[in-house]
Amino acid sequence: MTQRVLETGALRHGFLRRLAGTLGAENIGLFLALILVIAFFGSLSPRFLSKATFESVAFQLPELGLLTLAMLMPIISGGINLAVTFTANLCGLTLAWVLQANGGPDASIYAFLLGSVLAVGVGTASGLVMGPVIAYTGAHPILVSLSVMIFLRGLGEFLTRGADISGFPEFIQPLGHGSIVGIPVPLLILLGAVIVWHVLMTRTRLGFSNYMVGSNIEATRYSGISTRRVIILIYALSGAMCALAGIIMMARFNSVRVGHGESYVLITVLACFLGGVNPFGGFGKVVSVFLALIVLQLLSSGLNLLGASQHLATAIWGIMLIGVMILRWAAGQLNFMRITR
Amino acid sequence: MRNRGKLFRAHPTETWLVVVLLIMSAGLSVASDKFFTIANLFNLLNTSSTNLIFAVGLLVVLIAGGIDISFAVAASVVQYVVALALAQMGGGDWFIGLTLAAIVGIALGAVNAGLIYYFQIISIVVTIATFNIFFGLLMFFTHGVSIYNLPAWWTHRTVLFEFQQANGNWAELTLPVAIMAVCVAATWGLIRYTTTGRQLYAFGDNPEGARRLGINIAAMHFIAFGWLGLMAGIAGLVQVHYSQEIVPNALVGRELDVLAAVVLGGARLGGGRGTVLGCILGVFLVSVTQNGLNLLGISPYAFKMIVGAIILIAITLSNAPLGHILAGLRQRMGT
């Protein structure tokens, strides 16, 4: 209902209002955090506000970003997909094998396309294992995706014996390291994915149903929406997004190894929560999560510039999540006091 | 027969797990002559002690309706802090080590409990954040350097009980098993025979109802997470005893394996349900699977894959309509 009101309002007041509607009032905190981070590192190091920082952020953001998008939809549906990183690894492996089977460095573009399609198929299949189990048995998504994660990690290690796979054709390079008119290709891919996800969540029946399933699955079922179908589709889409992440990771590292990006799992959840996604599901915006990702990545790049390790950045990410949650709690308390006065 | 019916109804998950474990053990005994030996049983106990100590700690948090992702990393922090403190003191002994580990572990658990209780943030958000904070700071301050120079009492392999088998091999029970037994018994006593334990179940099942009954909600948080912190500290100590070294990232990822085993044992994410017996069975199902695969000569690379598949199948079956139907049938036959 509010969505409808907002949309008609946006139509009446043109593009700016629509933009404000999309960005939303709940993003003010994130914008403040963004400005704070930029101001803080900008004042500490003159090198922070430079093209180099932009490029480091732009090239590192996509891996984490695409995985976070894969995590986002299940969380909004009231679930979680802990298997994102290993699904991405296995999709990367699929593509790598197709390329290897077709001549390794001499593989043709058709081999790459075939491999990519198969990779997306593998990712979707992983989602299609999780989705029905969650939808039909009512088993807890943490548990289902956890066991799928353990299975996929084992499968990947079994198939590769823990080794790296490398030796890919030249034309894959731009996918991980190239730029188009100054904008890195991986960033463009991430932006595309963000837009697709945003449209999917705000403009389609599936997106709407996803929010409803996350808010109250029983009420949604009684209102005639096939909640099982929604959940299965959501996990399948999540798996497909993992495949995209896997392909980009392969191009970025120029190799595939099971365990690449393993530590990202909990970071993607952190990014979602930081972006205001409700841990119980039902609420959360793609744009906010994207903003949260930028803040996280800027923080990490800034600390890197100051000579601190990634581990310190990880700790500060955790502190930031706690800080944001405490601020939200404080805002809630203030609101409550105002209502009850 | 009457008694068995009662048992089935009261503990469906546990009975189910016992049946699966018995079938697996029977199959493995036939397939490998090494499986059904005292030496192998002792070996199983020795290798699962760390995980089982973690598991009973996590069980208490799950019963109280929370979840914790940070405990394995907290155990790494405990290992490091205790090792540094002991180096300052010039050695120490088991008593000092355990006391230190308990204090640091409980303190880290209290951090989680405080954030969850005072700021009303849900436990998964808090513990994902503290996971990153603990691990990030640990790696930052230690630069990922391992410690090998440990006090002798800590790493000395203590055999509690041993005897020589007919084939000449020695079967040994080591110190971790005793510590594990104490932890398991203590947790069992806590949740089964104390008022606090009953309150934890009540709180996990219905927090608001528990609050209105006059249960101290703050205490519930601190007891549950403090207990897990205590167990994590002890498990950290035991893991060092077993592996003879402290590697700061050795336990990362263990939290999810333990979580899977505990929930497999019937503890419910969402609180109010779970038993120590189920917890033990869940951990043993995983370790017997690994042990069996090992004895059957299957490539170690395939272990995790098979374990993952087994957990997935177990969850699906125990939640599927088929499972409900079977449980219903069993109930009817039991009465």
Side-chain angles (χ1 to χ4, degrees), chain A residues 54-226:
Chain A
F54 168 73
E55 286 197 333
S56 105
V57 169
F59 279 111
Q60 283 169 25
L61 191 60
E63 301 144 38
L64 182 60
L66 292 170
L67 288 172
T68 308
L69 290 180
M71 183 65 90
L72 176 63
M73 275 215 202
I75 291 190
I76 288 178
S77 79
I80 198 166
N81 181 0
L82 290 172
V84 283
T85 50
F86 288 104
T87 305
N89 284 162
L90 275 187
C91 297
L93 276 181
T94 311
L95 173 55
W97 279 323
V98 173
L99 289 174
Q100 294 241 303
N102 288 286
D106 308 317
S108 68
I109 189 102
Y110 297 108
F112 174 75
L113 288 178
L114 173 70
S116 300
V117 170
L118 285 178
V120 172
V122 167
T124 313
S126 137
L128 286 178
V129 171
M130 271 178 277
V133 174
I134 294 166
Y136 281 94
T137 72
H140 202 294
I142 291 187
L143 203 58
V144 177
S145 61
L146 184 58
S147 51
V148 170
M149 180 199 107
I150 296 174
F151 173 75
L152 290 178
R153 177 173 66 188
L155 180 66
E157 283 172 359
F158 176 64
L159 293 171
T160 62
R161 298 286 190 263
D164 279 56
I165 295 185
S166 54
F168 305 127
E170 278 294 308
F171 62 79
I172 289 183
Q173 282 286 325
L175 212 55
H177 304 279
S179 295
I180 296 174
V181 290
I183 304 171
V185 177
L187 183 68
L188 285 175
I189 293 172
L190 174 64
L191 284 175
V194 166
I195 291 169
V196 169
W197 243 226
H198 175 73
V199 169
L200 205 64
M201 290 306 289
T202 54
R203 295 279 182 276
T204 67
R205 189 186 287 262
L206 178 69
F208 183 77
S209 309
N210 192 20
Y211 282 113
M212 292 302 108
V213 166
S215 302
N216 187 335
I217 189 162
E218 278 304 292
T220 312
R221 197 165 63 82
Y222 281 123
S223 61
I225 292 172
S226 168

Side-chain angles (χ1 to χ4, degrees), chain A residues 143 151 155 161 270 311 329, chain B residues 119 132 136 139 263 301 305:
Chain A
L143 203 58
F151 173 75
L155 180 66
R161 298 286 190 263
L270 189 148
H311 294 301
W329 168 81
Chain B
F119 300 109
N132 285 299
M139 292 300 278
V263 184
Y301 287 109
M305 176 175 75

